[in-house]
């Protein structure tokens, strides 16, 4: 009796023969399609659409290297016809699969087979041939027809050694073993920032505070043969401070007014810049340059900006940019928060990036801390203590202390200031032993340095007297040279040398005598011998709030065209007045010690101006502007008038004394005030308010 299996076999053969007669596949030759014989190694036609998908299997890889510029999963698009390595599938027998022992080599399979003749589906890539993995039950239903996956181009680079098999998985690493991933570095540097780093920082940076800014083009600097010892000590600490027995990361340089602290700080900054040691600088000033230099608000953004410009700190720059975009309100936070997110957090991430720190700078330099003005509110002006904010100074010191104690902050901090009470107390009481303190006294032999400084300017017979007059304060010879060179040199030198010695009880006695002598040369009118001092008080009081241009001061102070330059011309060694053709630059007071002198009745003596006299003077000048709808000397254009009025509204010339404006006027002036064009001034003030978005408290007070 025939076996049922043999009968089943005959039926199947008969079925296949009948299909071949109808033009379908001839099963007597598995390689024949539509009656056309093809080589056994050739792939089936894509037109049949009946073959299961096949997979190219790569040999085991020990390392997968993912870099920021190469994605190993993304195939390179060389075009369908552009590959130099043809992909060939083996023939498939009637059972629909092929054992490992039956798989032909690629060398035998690729003969004469064009790549463009087929486009087979590919499912996945098996990571290893070292061990067969069982198919999970959850994937059993998808084992026969897994979804197609793209073929990676790099897997076709060595076709002769790549076997082929069907893999029931769509994962590259599913159930993989003996698979190693090492040196995995993935960087995303193509993040689209909303703004550039400069655009974020620029509104908050005090550009004039940099040691090499245009505002400091004529700032004092040490002569190459002066202050050598102190400068060498500072630079040595910057370079090798970690070798000290008790290393400290802050150095505080202090000394009296005029002793040359700013000149030393500027010269050290320039040396550090040349040697690649300088990370950032901030030179505070409440008497010259932009208003931002007198406030704490721009300190941290400015330091961070300077650091970001250093080529060696490129990773810090990258993380700083990210930090600002994560915390867009950071510029409205307190200094501690700003330091945390704009400086410390980026440096911590740089540390996580395993940056070596080779070639990094060493130091941050901050000068003039004693000149910081209250930033949060307007402090009522006290002419003996002109608006300095001890709280702001201490806040800055605490933040610097925090930075220096953080292990990820890589720099030392150099601070120069006068020994103001708040600063001295911080270093001696609040945070003792955190800094190296250097005081500019006789230890550094300032007289010898001053002699070097003056040697190239004066003959030997004048040197001894000039050195004696200086009392160790470099501001004295600097002021002398400026004053002598601004007139007939020989005549002015004789005048200086013949000054009366006022004694040694006052440490500023010789300096005060020099200031008095210079001020008496100012062109005061006979009717008011204190006019120039009143002008200087007005200019100085306004510097705490808004930096007004010389055009405003000409309009506000002058009764005749050119009067400002004429009266201040003889004292240009103390104050810088732009030339007549310059309308935009500010008036600059060279040194704080001069205004300290003017505000002290003991030191200034007969030149001192009482508060009531100053208020009366300013009130009269305001009245003149109101009466004339602008300056007495007409301005050349309406645009200039608009600029003048804007400064006039916002300068706050009298601070808390503003209510005294009316009471200080004479009866005649009060009567004339009623004749002012109130409608015109109302329109002008409202127009100014609309354009600036501020409140004109001073102007409105005048019309109450």
């Amino acid at each position: 009796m025939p076996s049922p299996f043999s009968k089943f076999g005959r039926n199947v053969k008969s079925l296949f023969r009948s299909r071949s007669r109808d033009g379908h596949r001839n099963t007597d030759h598995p390689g024949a399609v539509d009656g056309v014989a093809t080589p056994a190694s050739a792939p089936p036609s894509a037109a049949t659409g009946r073959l299961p998908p096949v997979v190219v299997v790569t040999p085991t890889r020990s390392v997968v290297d993912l870099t920021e510029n190469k994605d190993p999963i993304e195939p390179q698009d060389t075009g369908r016809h552009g590959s130099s390595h043809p992909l060939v599938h083996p023939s498939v027998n009637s059972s629909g699969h092929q054992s490992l022992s039956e798989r032909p080599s690629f060398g035998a399979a690729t003969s004469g087979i064009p790549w463009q003749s087929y486009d087979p589906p590919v499912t996945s890539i098996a990571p290893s041939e070292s061990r067969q993995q069982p198919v999970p039950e959850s994937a059993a239903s998808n084992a026969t027809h897994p979804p197609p996956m793209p073929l990676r181009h790099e897997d076709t680079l060595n076709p002769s050694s790549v076997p082929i098999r069907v893999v029931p998985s769509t994962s590259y690493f599913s159930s993989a073993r003996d698979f190693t991933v090492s040196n995995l570095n993935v960087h995303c540097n193509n993040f689209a920032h909303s703004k550039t780093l400069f655009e974020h920082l620029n509104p908050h940076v005090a550009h004039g505070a940099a040691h090499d800014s245009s505002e400091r083009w004529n700032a004092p600097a040490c002569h190459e043969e002066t202050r050598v010892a102190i400068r060498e000590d500072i630079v040595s600490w910057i370079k090798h401070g970690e070798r000290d027995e008790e290393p400290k990361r802050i150095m505080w340089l202090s000394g009296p007014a005029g002793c040359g602290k700013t000149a030393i700080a500027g010269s050290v900054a320039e040396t550090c810049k040349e040697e690649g040691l300088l990370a950032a600088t901030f030179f505070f000033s409440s008497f010259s340059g932009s208003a931002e230099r007198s406030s704490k608000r721009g300190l941290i953004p400015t330091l961070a900006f300077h650091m970001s410009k250093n080529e060696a700190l490129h990773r810090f720059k990258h993380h700083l940019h990210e930090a600002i975009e994560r915390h867009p309100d950071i510029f409205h936070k307190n200094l501690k928060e700003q330091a945390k997110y704009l400086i410390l957090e980026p440096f911590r991430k740089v540390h996580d990036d395993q940056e070596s720190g080779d070639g990094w700078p060493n130091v941050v330099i901050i000068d003039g801390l004693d000149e910081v003005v209250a930033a949060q509110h307007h402090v009522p002006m006290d002419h003996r203590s002109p608006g300095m904010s001890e709280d702001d100074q201490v806040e800055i010191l605490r933040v610097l202390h925090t930075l220096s104690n953080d292990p990820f902050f890589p720099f030392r901090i150099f601070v120069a200031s006068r020994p103001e009470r708040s600063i001295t107390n911080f270093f001696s009481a609040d945070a003792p032993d955190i800094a190296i303190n250097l005081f500019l006294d006789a230890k550094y032999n300032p007289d010898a340095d001053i002699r070097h400084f003056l040697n190239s300017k004066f003959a030997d017979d004048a040197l001894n007297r000039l050195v004696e007059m200086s009392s160790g304060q470099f501001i004295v010879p600097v002021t002398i040279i400026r004053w002598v060179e601004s007139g007939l040199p020989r005549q002015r030198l004789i005048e200086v040398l013949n000054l009366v010695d006022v004694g040694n009880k006052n440490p500023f006695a010789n300096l005060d005598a020099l200031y008095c002598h210079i001020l008496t040369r100012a062109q005061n009118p006979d009717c008011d011998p204190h006019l120039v001092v009143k002008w200087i008080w007005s200019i100085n009081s306004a510097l705490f709030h808004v930096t007004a241009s010389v055009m405003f001061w000409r309009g506000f102070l002058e009764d005749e065209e050119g009067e400002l330059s004429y009266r201040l011309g003889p004292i240009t060694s103390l104050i810088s007045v732009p030339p007549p053709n310059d309308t935009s630059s500010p008036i600059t007071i060279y040194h704080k010690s001069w205004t300290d002198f003017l505000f002290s009745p003991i030191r200034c003596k007969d030149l001192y101006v009482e508060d009531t006299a100053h208020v009366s003077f300013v009130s009269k000048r305001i009245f003149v502007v109101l009466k004339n709808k602008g300056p007495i000397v007409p301005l050349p254009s309406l645009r200039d008038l608009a600029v003048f009025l804007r400064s006039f509204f916002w300068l706050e010339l009298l601070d808390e004394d503003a209510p005294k404006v009316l009471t200080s006027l004479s009866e005649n002036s009060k009567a004339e005030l009623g004749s002012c064009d109130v409608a015109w001034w109302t329109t002008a003030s409202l127009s100014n308010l609309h354009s600036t978005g501020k409140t004109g408290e001073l102007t409105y007070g005048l019309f109450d």
Side-chain angles (χ1 to χ4, degrees):
M1 180 177 179
S3 170
F5 292 99
S6 61
K7 181 177 180 181
F8 175 79
R10 287 194 300 272
N11 291 337
V12 170
K13 279 187 177 183
S14 175
L15 174 62
F16 284 172
R17 288 193 185 100
S18 64
R19 291 188 62 185
S20 66
R21 286 194 297 269
D22 295 333
H24 295 287
R25 181 184 297 274
N26 188 338
T27 57
D28 289 337
H29 196 302
V33 180
D34 293 337
V36 180
T38 59
S41 60
S45 171
T48 63
R50 292 187 172 89
L51 293 179
V54 296
V55 177
V56 175
V57 182
T58 63
T60 302
R61 298 180 180 182
S62 61
V63 177
V64 175
D65 184 15
L66 303 179
T67 65
E68 60 180 320
N69 295 321
K70 177 181 178 183
D71 187 350
I73 301 176
E74 184 72 17
Q76 298 181 6
D77 184 10
T78 58
R80 182 175 180 181
H81 305 290
S83 174
S84 59
H85 300 283
L87 177 64
V88 180
H89 296 278
S91 60
V92 182
N93 61 21
S94 60
S95 63
H97 71 275
Q98 189 175 28
S99 67
L100 292 176
S101 62
E102 294 174 333
R103 293 175 183 171
S105 68
F106 255 78
T110 58
S111 175
I113 307 301
W115 166 260
Q116 62 268 29
S117 63
Y118 57 89
D119 192 5
V122 179
T123 60
S124 65
I125 301 174
S128 173
E129 286 292 341
S130 62
R131 187 173 303 177
Q132 289 276 5
Q133 296 299 322
V135 179
E137 292 182 4
S138 60
S141 61
N142 297 326
T144 57
H145 297 287
M149 295 285 288
L151 176 65
R152 300 191 304 179
H153 176 70
E154 60 266 31
D155 291 333
T156 69
L157 298 182
N158 270 325
S160 61
S161 61
V162 181
I164 302 176
R165 67 184 175 88
V166 176
V167 179
S169 172
T170 60
S171 170
Y172 291 112
F173 307 108
S174 177
S175 304
R177 295 186 182 180
D178 301 327
F179 193 88
T180 303
V181 178
S182 63
N183 297 329
L184 181 62
N185 292 306
V186 180
H187 300 290
C188 182
N189 290 330
N190 295 323
F191 178 76
H193 293 290
S194 61
K195 295 180 180 178
T196 66
L197 180 60
F198 180 77
E199 288 173 334
H200 281 299
L201 288 172
N202 185 47
H204 312 283
V205 170
H207 295 287
H211 79 283
D212 55 356
S213 70
S214 61
E215 290 185 13
R216 301 190 73 253
W217 69 270
N218 63 343
C222 295
H223 187 276
E224 60 182 5
E225 297 181 5
T226 65
R227 298 299 197 187
V228 175
I230 184 70
R231 286 190 286 149
E232 287 180 348
D233 286 350
I234 296 170
V235 174
S236 176
W237 170 77
I238 291 171
K239 290 181 176 180
H240 312 296
E242 74 280 355
R243 302 178 186 175
D244 296 342
E245 293 183 2
E246 297 181 3
K248 297 178 181 178
R249 302 187 69 194
I250 297 180
M251 175 178 282
W252 177 40
L253 176 69
S254 63
C259 64
K261 300 179 296 299
T262 296
I264 292 171
S267 297
V268 169
E270 193 60 35
T271 298
C272 290
K273 178 182 178 181
E274 293 173 356
E275 298 186 21
L277 304 172
L278 188 63
T281 57
F282 200 106
F283 280 65
F284 286 103
S285 176
S286 59
F287 291 85
S288 62
S290 57
E292 291 82 1
R293 291 178 59 189
S294 65
S295 170
K296 69 179 183 180
R297 288 179 297 221
L299 175 63
I300 300 302
T302 301
L303 296 182
F305 175 62
H306 290 178
M307 294 171 189
S308 72
K309 295 196 300 179
N310 192 295
E311 293 183 1
L313 301 176
H314 59 280
R315 294 303 301 163
F316 169 82
K317 179 179 181 180
H318 170 72
H319 292 305
L320 172 63
H321 202 168
E322 290 183 340
I324 293 175
E325 298 217 330
R326 283 197 304 272
H327 308 282
D329 63 338
I330 190 60
F331 302 107
H332 302 283
K333 300 295 185 179
N334 58 48
L335 293 189
K336 182 179 178 181
E337 289 296 296
Q338 290 185 17
K340 176 181 178 181
Y341 290 107
L342 297 182
I343 295 180
L344 292 181
E345 180 183 280
F347 273 119
R348 287 170 183 162
K349 292 191 175 182
V350 170
H351 180 270
D352 294 340
D353 294 341
Q354 298 182 351
E355 284 267 330
S356 65
D358 294 338
W360 282 14
N362 287 39
V363 68
V364 171
I365 295 178
I366 298 173
D367 176 72
L369 182 59
D370 52 281
E371 296 196 25
V372 174
V373 177
Q376 302 301 327
H377 53 80
H378 292 315
V379 177
M381 187 181 67
D382 179 353
H383 294 307
R384 295 164 189 77
S385 179
M388 297 304 165
S389 171
E390 294 185 354
D391 291 340
D392 284 4
Q393 295 166 7
V394 171
E395 183 184 4
I396 291 173
L397 287 172
R398 287 174 178 166
V399 168
L400 297 180
H401 185 203
T402 300
L403 291 175
S404 67
N405 280 341
D406 194 286
F408 298 107
F409 184 74
F411 311 124
R412 294 179 180 83
I413 302 173
F414 175 82
V415 180
S417 76
R418 299 197 315 181
E420 301 289 351
R421 180 183 61 184
S422 59
I423 301 173
T424 300
N425 288 344
F426 179 84
F427 283 113
S428 61
D430 297 342
D433 301 325
I434 68 166
I436 298 173
N437 297 343
L438 295 180
F439 191 84
L440 287 175
D441 53 16
K443 176 179 65 175
Y444 289 100
N445 196 8
D447 289 350
D449 289 332
I450 291 173
R451 184 177 296 275
H452 280 300
F453 179 72
L454 295 170
N455 190 47
S456 61
K457 299 289 184 180
F458 303 104
D460 291 340
D461 58 348
L463 282 179
N464 292 334
R465 174 61 178 149
L466 294 174
V467 171
E468 180 184 355
M469 292 177 61
S470 298
S471 300
Q473 301 172 57
F474 263 84
I475 186 61
V476 177
V478 169
T479 304
I480 289 173
I481 289 176
R482 282 177 177 163
W483 190 73
V484 169
E485 291 181 343
S486 65
L488 296 175
R490 181 175 177 82
Q491 178 182 347
R492 290 203 164 183
L493 177 59
I494 293 174
E495 292 175 350
V496 169
L497 294 175
N498 291 333
L499 286 175
V500 177
D501 189 351
V502 295
N504 297 321
K505 292 183 179 180
N506 177 4
F508 302 107
N510 288 321
L511 181 61
D512 294 346
L514 178 62
Y515 284 154
C516 286
H517 180 73
I518 294 175
L519 278 172
T520 57
R521 301 295 299 269
Q523 302 290 350
N524 289 294
D526 294 338
C527 60
D528 189 357
H530 295 92
L531 180 64
V532 168
V533 176
K534 295 173 183 175
W535 284 8
I536 295 168
W537 273 43
S538 300
I539 295 169
N540 180 73
S541 64
L543 285 175
F544 290 111
H545 309 296
V546 179
T547 301
S549 68
V550 66
M551 183 185 71
F552 170 80
W553 292 117
R554 289 181 182 132
F556 186 74
L557 299 173
E558 288 183 346
D559 289 325
E560 296 180 79
E561 186 174 1
E563 185 180 9
L564 187 73
S565 297
Y566 168 75
R567 300 203 183 280
L568 298 182
I571 63 171
T572 52
S573 58
L574 302 176
I575 187 169
S576 173
V577 180
N581 60 347
D582 186 344
T583 60
S584 59
S585 299
I587 295 176
T588 302
I589 296 175
Y590 279 124
H591 203 276
K592 186 178 184 297
S593 63
W594 185 41
T595 52
D596 289 345
F597 160 78
L598 292 176
F599 298 151
S600 170
I602 296 176
R603 295 178 60 186
C604 200
K605 297 184 178 179
D606 293 339
L607 292 173
Y608 182 72
V609 174
E610 297 285 347
D611 285 356
T612 54
H614 174 246
V615 171
S616 177
F617 169 76
V618 174
S619 300
K620 290 177 181 178
R621 300 312 304 179
I622 293 175
F623 169 75
V624 167
V625 173
L626 294 175
K627 183 178 179 180
N628 290 276
K629 298 181 182 178
I632 292 179
V633 179
L635 293 169
S637 68
L638 290 176
R639 180 183 179 278
D640 291 331
L641 177 60
V643 173
F644 172 86
L645 292 177
R646 187 172 302 136
S647 297
F648 178 75
F649 286 137
W650 309 128
L651 275 181
E652 298 185 30
L653 295 168
L654 294 173
D655 285 329
E656 83 279 15
D657 292 327
K660 299 180 182 179
V661 172
L662 291 177
T663 60
S664 64
L665 291 176
S666 66
E667 293 300 323
N668 291 336
S669 296
K670 292 179 182 178
E672 291 183 7
L673 185 60
S675 64
C676 293
D677 192 339
V678 176
W680 187 91
W681 277 106
T682 301
T683 302
S685 60
L686 290 177
S687 175
N688 187 65
L689 289 173
H690 179 72
S691 64
T692 61
K694 297 182 179 179
T695 304
E697 296 175 356
L698 178 61
T699 303
Y700 286 131
L702 297 177
F703 297 108
D704 290 342

